[in-house]
Amino acid sequence: QVQLVESGGDSVQAGGSLRLSCVASGYTYNTYSMGWFRQAPGKEREGVAVIYTGGGVTYYADSVKGRFTISQDNAKVTLYLQMNSLKPDDTAMYYCAAGRIAPTYSDYDLRAGAYNYWGQGTQVTVSS
């Protein structure tokens, strides 16, 4: 059973930075693509970034491109999301997820329904 545990959420001022972490267990290395999602109150869950199986290729939503970076450690145990130049619109609960997806390198790969396993989330609040 795949288990994902996020951490690193906090309250920051606009323009600040945070790094989220997601520790993964219970799966074979290189089996899943890993994604970060976020959900603000009253809004649908939104895909933010994905790192494809193998770890060499990434894709980002336009809303975070150039500001956020998704990465994994060499052992592929921990997934990261480095968030810079944060804006109040980035305020949300952030989730990591794992899924077996056939890459299209498009927003199609950021659909929540494509991912099978989810963490419990970590809250990010950005104040102006």
Side-chain angles (χ1 to χ4, degrees):
Q1 178 72 17
V2 176
Q3 292 187 321
L4 304 170
V5 180
E6 303 97 332
S7 63
D10 205 346
S11 296
V12 297
Q13 297 274 347
S17 297
L18 281 175
R19 188 176 80 158
L20 306 183
S21 300
C22 170
V23 177
S25 61
Y27 74 105
T28 303
Y29 163 76
N30 238 3
T31 303
Y32 297 98
S33 293
M34 303 292 294
W36 283 101
F37 292 76
R38 65 186 182 186
Q39 188 166 19
K43 294 188 176 182
E44 291 188 359
R45 192 165 294 191
E46 172 193 18
V48 171
V50 56
I51 187 164
Y52 296 99
T53 305
V57 181
T58 58
Y59 182 82
Y60 298 90
D62 285 344
S63 58
V64 305
K65 200 173 295 182
R67 300 189 298 124
F68 290 11
T69 303
I70 188 171
S71 63
Q72 286 176 305
D73 68 357
N74 289 336
K76 304 298 187 291
V77 172
T78 305
L79 180 73
Y80 300 103
L81 185 68
Q82 178 66 44
M83 305 187 295
N84 299 327
S85 303
L86 283 162
K87 307 174 182 179
D89 283 350
D90 296 319
T91 295
M93 185 72 78
Y94 282 72
Y95 301 88
C96 67
R100 299 177 190 263
I101 60 175
T104 65
Y105 311 107
S106 71
D107 287 352
Y108 191 76
D109 298 340
L110 295 176
R111 297 166 298 123
Y115 293 77
N116 305 100
Y117 301 99
W118 294 84
Q120 84 290 347
T122 186
Q123 178 68 38
V124 172
T125 303
V126 184
S127 57
S128 58

